[in-house]
Amino acid sequence: DLVGVNNRRVGHTITEHMFDAGCKNLHFILRPGSASTIHARAAGFGEAFLTRRKRFESERIHECDPRDLDDVRQLIAEYHPDGIVCGNDVTAGYLMHTLDELGIGVPDDVLIGGVDDVKYAELLRVRLTTVRQPFAAIGETAYHTMLDRIARPGAVARHITLGCELVIRDSTRNIGTVGR
């Protein structure tokens, strides 16, 4: 049994929001060794391009350390993104600190979006737009699913998918003025 969110849909949702916020040159960052859920979010990122009938190149997805000044500087210099979707809020938080060190403003120069809505997402210097996972509901549903599995060990395995919510904050509030 599996209880969670549709991570492809999550990646698609945050990417659609970034397009709606005015981004034209979106990129995706995931950290090396990321879980399969993050890769599913990257797939959803790519699908959002296809939904909008935009050209998608695999070079828009970057596996790098968002804390590495040289990696981030090179990404910005080479691709000039006006928006970056991060595989999760931890990656987004690290990236925002690195961009700050490089003198690149969020949201003035680049919009940033994350996933998870961890507690510190709204405590960052620029509050982070993110997709909120219903962690309590996931836990409660998983608990009841486990009890049901114990009671009925021969039942067919289930994949239970819960919804999630886009939480728009300051990191993407530069609507209509993004770009270089």
Side-chain angles (χ1 to χ4, degrees):
D1 298 313
L2 177 65
V3 177
V5 297
N6 179 335
N7 282 288
R8 286 177 85 106
R9 185 76 197 139
V10 166
H12 192 277
T13 298
I14 189 68
T15 305
E16 283 286 330
H17 168 70
M18 301 288 278
F19 281 135
D20 290 344
C23 293
K24 302 212 181 332
N25 186 15
L26 270 173
H27 288 257
F28 186 98
I29 291 181
L30 67 154
R31 290 179 290 157
S34 291
S36 62
T37 54
I38 306 296
H39 290 273
R41 294 170 190 173
F45 169 82
E47 288 173 359
F49 279 78
L50 301 176
T51 300
R52 295 261 177 147
R53 298 183 183 195
K54 293 180 179 285
R55 185 167 175 226
F56 176 75
E57 306 90 6
S58 60
E59 296 82 32
R60 291 185 178 278
I61 299 176
H62 309 274
E63 187 172 335
C64 66
D65 182 348
R67 297 170 291 187
D68 187 306
L69 285 167
D70 292 331
D71 279 355
V72 174
R73 183 183 293 115
Q74 180 180 350
L75 185 150
I76 298 295
E78 186 172 342
Y79 297 102
H80 308 286
D82 57 8
I84 300 174
V85 175
C86 295
N88 58 28
D89 290 349
V90 171
T91 302
Y94 285 140
L95 178 63
M96 289 171 73
H97 285 289
T98 302
L99 291 171
D100 194 41
E101 286 184 54
L102 293 171
I104 298 168
V106 175
D108 295 331
D109 299 319
V110 64
L111 303 186
I112 304 292
V115 176
D116 291 333
D117 197 28
V118 294
K119 288 191 183 280
Y120 63 80
E122 64 181 323
L123 301 175
L124 292 165
R125 188 178 60 74
V126 176
R127 297 174 336 121
L128 180 65
T129 293
T130 186
V131 178
R132 177 180 295 146
Q133 289 198 60
F135 293 120
I138 290 171
E140 182 178 335
T141 303
Y143 171 76
H144 289 291
T145 302
M146 180 187 65
L147 292 178
D148 187 53
R149 173 63 53 207
I150 291 168
R152 301 179 317 129
V156 175
R158 294 176 289 176
H159 184 167
I160 301 167
T161 304
L162 303 180
C164 50
E165 173 188 1
L166 178 65
V167 180
I168 300 171
R169 296 191 182 109
D170 301 330
S171 69
T172 62
R173 289 210 192 266
N174 203 19
I175 297 174
T177 60
V178 178
R180 301 187 189 288

